[in-house]
Amino acid sequence: MNVVTSSYIGNILMTIWAALTGAWRDSGVGKALRSFGRRISRAVQESVLCQFLWREGTLPKSWPESITNRVITFILNIPCAICRWLYRVGKTVWDGSFVFRGVTALCGRPFLLLGLFLAVMLMVPHASWDNRYALMGALALIALFAVGSGPKAYLRLEPGAFGPYYIFFMGFICYAFLASLSWSQSVRFVGFHLAAFLLAVLAVSSVKKYEQLQLVVVLAVAGLTIAALYGCYQGVVGVPVVANQQDMLVNKGMPGRVYSFFDNPNNFAELLAMLMPFTYALFLNAKTWRGRLAAVFSFGVCAVALGYTLSRSSWLGFALATVVFIAFWNWKLIPLLVVLGICCVPLLPETIYNRILTIGNTKDTSTSYRFAIYKASGVLMEDYWFRGVGLGSDILTQTFRGYPPMFDGNFPIHTHNNYLQMWAETGLLGALSFLAMLVYQLKAGTKAFLRCTDQRVRNLLAAALAGFCGILLISVAEYTWFYARNMFTYFFLFGVIAACIKLSKKSAQA
C-alpha cells in the first residue's frame, strides 16, 4: 500500500476518489438516498417475512446431532477410521519408514492437493478432458485424505457442515436415478453428482484455518488465470465465428467468441463469473504489494477474457456478483458504483456495447430459441411435473423426442435453465429440495458474514457468496451444469462457502 500512496499516479487517483466520495457524502442526493436506505433497511428487518427467513429453523438447528447426520458422517469416515486403526496397530513401523512419513506429510495437507487438482482441472484443454477424471480425482483425493488422517486423527470428513438440505437434495438425486425412465441413460450422471459432492465435502473438511483456505482459492484462481490468458490470446489472434453461437444478422461485424480450454464460450464465461470475485478478496487480504499486484493482474486478464466471450448472461451474472461483493464490503458504496458503471458504458469497446444492446432482443435467434425450448419444456412437464423423467440431460433429451419438435424441427438437449432442469429431472420435491439447499446456503453464509470477527474470512466469504449469486442469476438463462467442469466448480464454490462458515464460527469463539 505504501508503494501506491507514495506514487504520483496513486496520489492523483486517491485524491480524485476522496473528492468524489466527499462530494457524494455531502450532496443532497446522497443524504436523501442514505436516509431512504436506512428506512427501507429498518422496514425490511422488522418485516414478518424477514424474521421468518432469518430465524434458525428447527431442522437446521437439530441437524448436527441428528441420527441421520451421524450415520452419514460415520459411513463417509469409514476409510479414515480404517487408516487410523492401521496406523495405531503398526505405529512403530510406520513412524520408522521414511517413505511413509513423506506420503503422510503430503496427504496431511489435503487442502493443497485439492487446490492443485482444481488448478489442473481448469487448465486441461477440452479435447484432453474426460469427465471421468473428476470422479477419479475426487476418489483419489478422498483416499489420500484417509491416509493422511492416520497420524492426524483430527482429519475427518464433515458432510454435516452443509446442513440438511444438501443431503436431502442428494437423496433426490439418488431417487431420480432409481426412478429414471432409463437407468442406462442416467448412470453416468450419478458419477458427476458424486464427484461434485466429494469435492464440496473436501473443500469444507480439508480446511482448518484461513491460510489453508486461501491457498486453495489462490491455486484455483491461478488455474483460471492461465485459462484466461489463453482466452485473451484467442481474442487477439481471432477465432472463427460459429453460426449457432451468435446471430450474425443482429450481431453483424462481431468477432468469434473465445472459449479458452473449454467447449463453449458460455462455459468459459460461467467459470470466470463464479471465480473472479475471489480476486477482490485476495486483493483486500494481501499483505504485500506483490500480492495485490497479482490479484489486480488476475482480475484484469479474466475481465478481458470475459469480454471476449461475448456471453451476455455471464456479464450480467458477474455484474451482480460485483454488486453483491460491494454490498457485503460496504453497502454505502452501491449508489456510487451504479453511477460509475453508467459513466463507464461509453468507454466500452464497440463490440461489447453492441452485444449488450441485443439483451432481450427477441429478433436474436439465441434469445428466441430459448423461449422455444421453454415452451417445449412446458409441454413435457405437463406429464412429468411431479415425478420427473430421471437423472441427467440424456434421458431428458430422449423424452423430448416423444413430443412434437420445436419450430425448426429439432428437439431440446436440455431446458436452458438450471431450476427447470432440476424440476424436470428430479420432480417437484427434488426441485423444492434444490431451492431449499440454495436458499439455506445463502442465508447461512450471510449470517456467518455478519457474525465473523476475522476480516480475511469475511472477505473470502463475501467473494464466495458473490460468485454464487452470479451463477444463480446465470442459471436462469443457462443450464450451467451441462458442461460438467462448471458443475464441479459450482459445488466447489458451495464448499468454500461452507468452509468460511466453519471458520467464522471458530473466529467468533476465539
Side-chain angles (χ1 to χ4, degrees):
M1 192 64 181
N2 292 333
V3 175
V4 176
T5 55
S6 62
S7 68
Y8 178 71
I9 296 177
N11 279 322
I12 292 178
L13 292 176
M14 292 184 67
T15 301
I16 294 174
W17 176 256
L20 287 173
T21 53
W24 174 258
R25 182 177 59 252
D26 298 331
S27 67
V29 176
K31 292 178 180 178
L33 287 176
R34 285 194 295 273
S35 176
F36 178 72
R38 286 193 293 269
R39 292 179 182 178
I40 293 295
S41 177
R42 192 180 307 113
V44 170
Q45 291 175 9
E46 296 174 355
S47 68
V48 176
L49 178 61
C50 182
Q51 294 296 326
F52 173 76
L53 292 175
W54 196 251
R55 70 182 180 87
E56 187 70 21
T58 303
L59 182 59
K61 189 183 299 183
S62 61
W63 179 253
E65 302 301 324
S66 68
I67 296 177
T68 304
N69 179 51
R70 290 183 177 183
V71 170
I72 293 173
T73 303
F74 172 78
I75 293 173
L76 284 179
N77 280 283
I78 288 177
C80 296
I82 293 173
C83 289
R84 281 194 287 269
W85 176 77
L86 290 173
Y87 176 74
R88 288 196 300 270
V89 169
K91 186 177 186 303
T92 304
V93 176
W94 297 127
D95 288 348
S97 169
F98 176 78
V99 174
F100 178 78
R101 290 202 304 271
V103 170
T104 53
L106 181 61
C107 294
R109 294 172 173 79
F111 55 90
L112 173 62
L113 299 174
L114 175 62
L116 291 172
F117 173 78
L118 291 166
V120 171
M121 185 185 76
L122 293 170
M123 293 188 295
V124 176
H126 174 73
S128 302
W129 174 258
D130 188 316
N131 290 321
R132 289 172 293 188
Y133 295 161
L135 179 58
M136 291 187 291
L139 291 174
L141 288 172
I142 290 292
L144 293 173
F145 185 97
V147 172
S149 70
K152 297 185 177 181
Y154 61 84
L155 285 178
R156 61 193 305 271
L157 298 174
E158 305 172 39
F162 296 118
Y165 299 107
Y166 187 22
I167 304 303
F168 292 167
F169 174 66
M170 290 302 296
F172 277 104
I173 291 298
C174 296
Y175 155 79
F177 170 66
L178 295 175
S180 174
L181 299 177
S182 172
W183 285 4
S184 62
Q185 296 280 351
S186 296
V187 65
R188 72 186 184 100
F189 294 91
V190 175
F192 295 169
H193 282 278
L194 178 59
F197 174 73
L198 293 178
L199 289 174
V201 171
L202 282 166
V204 68
S205 305
S206 62
V207 169
K208 304 300 177 184
K209 54 185 179 180
Y210 164 76
E211 290 76 12
Q212 296 173 348
L213 180 59
Q214 177 182 257
L215 179 59
V216 176
V217 171
V218 166
L219 289 171
V221 171
L224 183 73
T225 303
I226 298 299
L229 281 169
Y230 183 60
C232 291
Y233 168 77
Q234 288 179 328
V236 172
V237 301
V239 295
V241 174
V242 180
N244 64 357
Q245 292 180 357
Q246 56 197 99
D247 186 345
M248 294 311 297
L249 294 177
V250 179
N251 300 278
K252 187 176 181 180
M254 289 191 183
R257 301 173 60 189
V258 307
Y259 48 87
S260 186
F261 300 131
F262 310 97
D263 182 49
N264 183 284
N266 288 334
N267 300 333
F268 179 35
E270 289 158 12
L271 289 168
L272 290 167
M274 279 190 281
L275 297 180
M276 278 177 64
F278 283 123
T279 61
Y280 300 150
L282 294 176
F283 176 84
L284 294 174
N285 291 349
K287 296 180 179 180
T288 65
W289 67 267
R290 292 182 183 85
R292 295 189 181 93
L293 184 61
V296 170
F297 173 78
S298 177
F299 172 80
V301 170
C302 291
V304 172
L306 181 61
Y308 277 132
T309 64
L310 299 178
S311 177
R312 296 165 296 187
S313 59
S314 293
W315 290 347
L316 292 175
F318 178 66
L320 175 64
T322 299
V323 170
V324 170
F325 183 83
I326 296 296
F328 276 115
W329 186 50
N330 188 346
W331 65 269
K332 296 178 182 178
L333 296 177
I334 293 296
L336 184 60
L337 178 67
V338 173
V339 172
L340 289 176
I342 295 173
C343 293
C344 288
V345 169
L347 303 178
L348 293 173
E350 185 179 359
T351 54
I352 292 179
Y353 180 75
N354 291 335
R355 181 70 170 168
I356 291 175
L357 295 178
T358 65
I359 295 177
N361 187 349
T362 55
K363 294 182 180 180
D364 189 320
T365 55
S366 64
T367 301
S368 60
Y369 208 73
R370 280 177 171 82
F371 285 103
I373 291 174
Y374 298 153
K375 183 178 179 180
S377 300
V379 174
L380 180 145
M381 291 300 291
E382 290 178 2
D383 295 329
Y384 294 98
W385 67 273
F386 186 76
R387 60 153 291 175
V389 301
L391 186 64
S393 56
D394 289 354
I395 183 59
L396 184 60
T397 301
Q398 179 177 303
T399 307
F400 269 125
R401 294 184 177 278
Y403 290 82
M406 295 185 293
F407 65 90
D408 62 348
N410 293 319
F411 298 91
I413 57 176
H414 54 72
T415 64
H416 242 295
N417 179 297
N418 268 42
Y419 313 101
L420 184 56
Q421 183 79 19
M422 286 300 98
W423 188 3
E425 291 184 18
T426 64
L428 178 62
L429 298 180
L432 292 176
S433 71
F434 175 60
L435 293 176
M437 174 188 76
L438 300 179
V439 172
Y440 175 79
Q441 194 73 346
L442 291 174
K443 172 184 170 180
T446 303
K447 292 175 71 172
F449 177 86
L450 296 175
R451 295 170 179 172
C452 183
T453 58
D454 189 330
Q455 187 59 47
R456 301 171 303 170
V457 176
R458 282 167 60 91
N459 289 336
L460 271 185
L461 180 54
L465 288 169
F468 202 59
C469 287
I471 196 63
L472 292 183
L473 177 61
I474 297 169
S475 299
V476 174
E478 307 284 352
Y479 175 41
T480 60
W481 296 356
F482 186 66
Y483 193 65
R485 276 196 275 186
N486 290 41
M487 179 185 184
F488 305 143
T489 305
Y490 184 106
F491 280 100
F492 161 70
L493 193 61
F494 195 89
V496 171
I497 295 174
C500 288
I501 294 172
K502 182 176 75 171
L503 293 178
S504 70
K505 292 178 180 178
K506 289 184 177 180
S507 70
Q509 295 170 357

